[in-house]
């Protein structure tokens, strides 16, 4: 939780930019990690982080302080990630492999490993709703607690665990099917 | 197996261990942190984008209180 003095209020452009600079320095690391765990490819995270903070700046006027800055930024980052996922899906359906292998991706071996793992996980998660998928990833990949996810997604704790339970049931079933079909194995 | 068989522990206990194959997949995707260079690049791009935003963010009320630039206030009302 941010200190109470760190309150975002609407003001002049210079004032809003100063507030954004403070939000950026406080939250960049976590925004980056959220974007990564919510499925944004490594090569797109810089763009997505940029888009998240610019969108935050543009919506400072509508921020009413009913949630924390962290929850507010998560909501923006999540929408950026969902939008990118949908655009990537359209690209794949059109036969375009997308920008996953750009030059500032990690080293070649690591990039291939991540790319393959991401493709498998995307297949396992494909039938989940955005809410189930993101709850699953925040919990299983991000190591967030149920309480933290409830705060970030602004839902009751019971809803978090209900989504997690449904997502796990589906993913576990799909994982067994995927590897039973003799498809590629992740490196253990 | 009958329909009344209990669900697997993993569906009842949020802290139940992740199956090994799934854990291996997730381990490959563990998010890292931005490098200092990435941090600087993003920050520079953000503020470049903001510099290109239209500078009409001052609320009209502020201009009324300032007691000047009434043309801009009028323009907002149109």
């Amino acid at each position: 939780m941010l200190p109470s003095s760190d309150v975002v209020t609407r003001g002049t452009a210079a004032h809003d930019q100063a507030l954004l600079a403070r939000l950026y320095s406080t939250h960049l690391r976590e925004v980056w990690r959220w974007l990564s765990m919510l499925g944004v490819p490594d090569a797109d995270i810089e763009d997505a982080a940029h888009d998240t903070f610019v969108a935050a700046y543009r919506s400072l006027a509508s921020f009413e302080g009913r949630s924390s800055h962290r929850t507010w930024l998560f909501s923006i980052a999540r929408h950026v990630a969902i939008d990118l996922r949908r655009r990537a899906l359209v690209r794949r359906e059109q036969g375009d492999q997308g920008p996953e292998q750009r030059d500032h991706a990690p080293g070649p071996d690591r990039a291939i490993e991540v790319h393959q793992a991401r493709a498998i996980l995307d297949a396992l998660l494909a039938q989940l709703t955005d809410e189930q998928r993101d709850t699953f990833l925040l919990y299983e990949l991000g190591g967030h607690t149920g309480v933290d996810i409830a705060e970030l997604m602004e839902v009751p704790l019971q809803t978090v665990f209900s989504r997690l339970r449904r997502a796990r049931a589906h993913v576990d079933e799909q994982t067994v099917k995927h590897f039973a079909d003799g498809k590629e194995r992740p490196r253990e | 197996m009958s329909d009344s068989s209990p669900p697997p522990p993993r569906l009842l206990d949020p802290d139940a261990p992740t199956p090994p194959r799934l854990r291996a997949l997730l381990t490959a995707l563990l998010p890292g942190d931005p490098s200092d260079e990435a941090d600087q690049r993003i920050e520079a791009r953000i503020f470049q984008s903001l510099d290109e935003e239209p500078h009409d963010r001052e609320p009209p009320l502020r201009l009324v209180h300032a007691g000047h630039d009434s043309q801009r206030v009028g323009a907002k009302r149109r």
Side-chain angles (χ1 to χ4, degrees):
Chain A
M1 184 69 92
L2 291 171
S4 59
S5 60
D6 188 21
V7 173
V8 172
T9 54
R10 180 143 168 78
T12 63
H15 182 243
D16 285 356
Q17 288 196 16
L19 287 169
L20 187 74
R22 199 165 61 200
L23 290 174
Y24 179 84
S25 63
T26 305
H27 295 287
L28 171 67
R29 188 176 298 257
E30 195 164 33
V31 165
W32 180 282
R33 294 171 70 86
W34 286 332
L35 291 166
S36 176
M37 75 181 76
L38 293 178
V40 176
D42 286 351
D44 287 341
I45 294 183
E46 283 193 30
D47 288 348
H50 164 271
D51 292 352
T52 298
F53 283 100
V54 170
Y57 176 80
R58 289 177 181 149
S59 61
L60 276 174
S62 60
F63 181 78
E64 296 175 345
R66 285 184 295 192
S67 61
S68 68
H69 303 149
R70 180 171 176 264
T71 299
W72 176 61
L73 280 171
F74 172 79
S75 173
I76 296 170
R78 182 166 177 259
H79 281 98
V80 169
I82 289 173
D83 185 51
L84 282 171
R85 279 205 305 252
R86 288 182 179 152
R87 278 192 274 159
L89 182 63
V90 170
R91 278 203 307 266
R92 279 200 297 276
E93 287 173 352
Q94 293 173 343
D96 179 357
Q97 289 306 304
E100 284 84 352
Q101 304 290 337
R102 277 192 204 152
D103 56 355
H104 56 277
D109 289 346
R110 164 78 180 146
I112 291 168
E113 182 186 0
V114 169
H115 187 66
Q116 288 176 341
R118 176 79 68 197
I120 297 171
L121 192 60
D122 280 349
L124 300 179
L125 302 178
Q127 301 301 318
L128 297 178
T129 64
D130 286 332
E131 288 74 21
Q132 290 167 350
R133 175 193 175 111
D134 293 346
T135 300
F136 177 86
L137 291 171
L138 287 168
Y139 195 91
E140 299 279 11
L141 182 56
H144 288 269
T145 65
V147 171
D148 196 32
I149 296 170
E151 182 187 321
L152 286 173
M153 299 186 82
E154 299 184 271
V155 295
L157 182 59
Q158 194 175 0
T159 302
V160 171
F161 286 125
S162 169
R163 289 174 180 173
L164 180 66
R165 205 164 38 244
R166 287 170 188 269
R168 277 181 168 180
H170 177 80
V171 171
D172 289 359
E173 182 187 335
Q174 293 300 310
T175 304
V176 169
K177 278 187 188 169
H178 182 88
F179 293 109
D181 288 347
K183 295 180 182 170
E184 66 269 55
R185 290 167 174 269
R187 295 177 192 177
E188 295 188 33
Chain B
M1 190 183 290
S2 72
D3 289 340
S4 62
S5 58
R10 185 166 144 75
L11 301 187
L12 296 175
D13 176 12
D15 295 325
T18 306
R21 283 173 171 164
L22 183 57
R23 190 175 63 237
L25 271 182
L26 295 171
T27 300
L29 294 172
L30 278 177
D33 289 326
S35 64
D36 289 344
E37 292 78 15
D39 183 339
Q40 289 165 9
R41 275 197 302 270
I42 299 166
E43 186 172 21
R45 283 184 55 205
I46 288 169
F47 286 95
Q48 184 182 348
S49 297
L50 299 193
D51 285 344
E52 292 164 4
E53 294 263 317
H55 293 282
D56 60 348
R57 295 173 66 82
E58 289 83 356
L61 192 60
R62 203 178 276 273
L63 299 175
V64 171
H65 284 312
H68 64 276
D69 204 357
S70 59
Q71 284 185 331
R72 285 185 65 189
V73 176
K76 295 272 184 191
R77 286 182 182 147
R78 274 199 297 270

